[in-house]
Amino acid sequence: MAGKLYGVGLGPGDPDLMTRKAHRLIASAKVVAYPTLAGADSFARSIAADAIPATAREIVMDVPMTTDRAPAQAAYDQGAVEIAMALDDGQDVVCLCEGDPFFYGSFMYLFARLSQRYEVEVVPGVTSITTCAARAGLPLAARNERLTVLPGPLPEKELRTRIEGAESVAIMKVGRHLSKIRGVIDALGFTDQAVYVERASLPDEVVCPLVNAPEKAPYFSMILLTKGADPWL
Amino acid sequence: MAGKLYGVGLGPGDPDLMTRKAHRLIASAKVVAYPTLAGADSFARSIAADAIPATAREIVMDVPMTTDRAPAQAAYDQGAVEIAMALDDGQDVVCLCEGDPFFYGSFMYLFARLSQRYEVEVVPGVTSITTCAARAGLPLAARNERLTVLPGPLPEKELRTRIEGAESVAIMKVGRHLSKIRGVIDALGFTDQAVYVERASLPDEVVCPLVNAPEKAPYFSMILLTKGADPWL
């Protein structure tokens, strides 16, 4: 009988924000799998590190950071082959995924490749958007308010249109797009309501008004705009 | 010295999807607080039940379900007074909140009333949107895709406009708005891509295509539209 594949969300970074289910699955895993980006240490693995048994086998997918899709596809193709071999051997495989697997998570690439052939369970995790809101003390959405999630790499014009028609906005993956996004928010006159959050829940977390954001933002950074929030019930 | 107020997200319903931090805070709490809706059992309390110490004092806020805001405001006003008394006594208070406190969560009403005067920590939780996506096997957003979160009570015309201009959409709080929302999705021709999820992660969970949704939906139900998802990297 084939093993079961788990796609496990690890939350935003603080291992304490892992769910109890994620922790239990990892702590009893015989095989874990996770991506590393361009040979760097795996952020997902670092979140789960204290829970991974020393005896667990680790399948590492080294995903290159290029705008060309083919090398990244090849890395997930190869990872899927290795994972399938373990599943065919009757072993369960626990895939580690920072944040939530289906919310901009890397696990969806493995899900697409393996879910037709194997039993898969996706374990949701705490996302960076609610973590950033918690750390910034900013309610995201109440009652009938709308929330729009926008990736920072979107073209300037589209960002502008989408922010203009929105209430609360979370802009993900700010990174090297910071100055473009800043320009859009400035032009719309929303800078006073914009908060910048970097590496939420980690020891080196940064939370500050957008005007005070550093010149260089890491990939795991976000801007929250909550012009619509009215928490007074 | 005054106590500290914790707003703790409990996740979507399965106690195993609570974070380790939430569980630890609840298990060591001397005072917990939570809302009940219109005298019914508290959903938040039921998620945390196994973790709440028998010796903990419980502050219950009975929030009436009316379209008039005043009675609900009064319930949170009264709850805030009771919580403030415990904090002034030097006791920490752990407020229980289903899902995530700042994502349509009831805790934001207490946060608005107490965060100026007391130390408050918000502990994010797994939201219903990523849980519904996990249970339905539907990635919400990948790469540069946008995600729009819409509350079901929005007027028909606004729902239509917002869904039309969106990629992935999560419609929250479907409940008694189901037939209105269905009409909008039908008119837009998106019914084939719409999935209905009710009480995600709970034993009586329902996941099905929107066409097979029951006539009557509970408050904790959601519709996912993921026309944009392309998980193949």
Side-chain angles (χ1 to χ4, degrees):
Chain A
M1 215 182 110
K4 184 171 171 182
L5 175 61
Y6 293 91
V8 171
L10 302 171
D14 177 353
D16 225 17
L17 292 178
M18 220 183 285
T19 63
R20 301 177 78 215
K21 183 165 190 168
H23 192 269
R24 202 188 57 235
L25 286 169
I26 296 163
S28 60
K30 294 205 168 54
V31 185
V32 297
Y34 51 85
T36 63
L37 287 180
D41 286 345
S42 164
F43 181 42
R45 194 194 185 286
S46 75
I47 299 172
D50 287 346
I52 300 173
T55 52
R57 192 184 135 213
E58 306 192 15
I59 296 174
V60 184
M61 288 158 281
D62 190 17
V63 181
M65 289 280 261
T66 60
T67 46
D68 176 19
R69 281 187 180 193
Q73 284 177 320
Y76 285 112
D77 285 342
Q78 175 59 29
V81 168
E82 285 185 58
I83 290 166
M85 284 173 63
L87 295 170
D88 287 334
D89 264 0
Q91 291 182 301
D92 294 343
V93 178
V94 175
C95 271
L96 310 177
C97 190
E98 55 258 31
D100 179 279
F102 278 178
F103 184 75
Y104 303 101
S106 55
F107 181 71
M108 57 184 96
Y109 307 124
L110 295 168
F111 183 82
R113 286 163 171 79
L114 295 165
S115 65
Q116 300 292 317
R117 287 183 286 151
Y118 299 96
E119 190 189 354
V120 182
E121 181 175 345
V122 177
V123 179
V126 173
T127 68
S128 53
I129 55 168
T130 65
T131 307
C132 286
R135 301 302 302 160
L138 283 174
L140 273 178
R143 287 180 308 286
N144 292 344
E145 290 167 1
R146 291 173 279 116
L147 170 66
T148 305
V149 181
L150 301 172
L154 287 176
E156 188 166 342
K157 203 178 153 187
E158 181 169 3
L159 277 177
R160 192 186 162 112
T161 312
R162 299 291 169 194
I163 294 172
E164 216 167 7
E167 280 176 353
S168 278
V169 179
I171 305 169
M172 315 263 304
K173 311 180 187 185
V174 169
R176 62 193 174 80
H177 304 279
L178 176 60
S179 80
K180 172 188 70 183
I181 301 166
R182 242 174 164 152
V184 170
I185 293 173
D186 273 349
L188 290 169
F190 294 150
T191 302
D192 288 350
Q193 303 142 51
V195 168
Y196 171 86
V197 187
E198 177 180 315
R199 298 174 62 76
S201 86
L202 290 165
D204 53 351
E205 166 189 278
V206 174
V207 181
C208 65
L210 178 58
V211 283
N212 299 336
E215 282 306 302
K216 277 201 149 190
Y219 181 77
F220 285 109
S221 53
M222 188 178 297
I223 293 169
L224 296 177
L225 276 170
T226 57
K227 44 185 167 135
D230 158 28
W232 275 97
L233 188 71
Chain B
M1 215 182 110
K4 184 171 170 180
L5 175 61
Y6 293 91
V8 171
L10 303 172
D14 177 353
D16 225 16
L17 293 177
M18 219 183 287
T19 63
R20 303 177 77 214
K21 184 165 189 168
H23 191 270
R24 201 188 59 234
L25 286 169
I26 296 163
S28 61
K30 294 205 168 55
V31 185
V32 296
Y34 51 84
T36 64
L37 286 180
D41 285 347
S42 164
F43 180 42
R45 194 193 186 286
S46 75
I47 301 173
D50 286 347
I52 300 173
T55 52
R57 191 182 135 213
E58 304 192 15
I59 297 174
V60 184
M61 288 158 279
D62 190 17
V63 181
M65 288 280 261
T66 61
T67 47
D68 177 19
R69 281 188 182 192
Q73 285 178 320
Y76 285 113
D77 285 343
Q78 175 59 27
V81 168
E82 285 185 59
I83 290 167
M85 283 172 62
L87 295 170
D88 286 335
D89 263 1
Q91 291 181 300
D92 293 344
V93 177
V94 175
C95 271
L96 309 178
C97 189
E98 55 258 31
D100 181 280
F102 278 178
F103 185 74
Y104 303 101
S106 55
F107 181 71
M108 57 184 96
Y109 307 125
L110 295 168
F111 184 82
R113 286 164 170 79
L114 295 164
S115 65
Q116 299 293 316
R117 285 183 288 151
Y118 299 96
E119 190 189 354
V120 182
E121 181 174 346
V122 176
V123 179
V126 173
T127 68
S128 52
I129 54 168
T130 65
T131 307
C132 287
R135 301 303 302 161
L138 283 174
L140 274 178
R143 287 179 309 284
N144 292 344
E145 290 166 2
R146 293 173 277 117
L147 171 66
T148 306
V149 182
L150 301 172
L154 287 176
E156 189 167 340
K157 204 177 152 189
E158 180 167 6
L159 277 176
R160 192 186 162 110
T161 314
R162 299 291 168 194
I163 293 172
E164 216 166 7
E167 279 177 352
S168 278
V169 179
I171 305 169
M172 315 263 304
K173 309 180 188 185
V174 169
R176 62 194 174 80
H177 304 279
L178 176 59
S179 80
K180 172 188 71 183
I181 301 166
R182 242 173 165 155
V184 170
I185 293 174
D186 274 348
L188 290 169
F190 295 151
T191 302
D192 287 351
Q193 304 143 48
V195 168
Y196 171 85
V197 187
E198 176 182 314
R199 297 175 63 75
S201 87
L202 290 165
D204 54 351
E205 165 187 280
V206 175
V207 180
C208 65
L210 179 57
V211 283
N212 299 337
E215 283 304 304
K216 277 201 146 190
Y219 180 78
F220 286 109
S221 54
M222 188 178 298
I223 293 169
L224 296 177
L225 276 170
T226 57
K227 43 184 169 138
D230 158 27
W232 275 98
L233 190 71

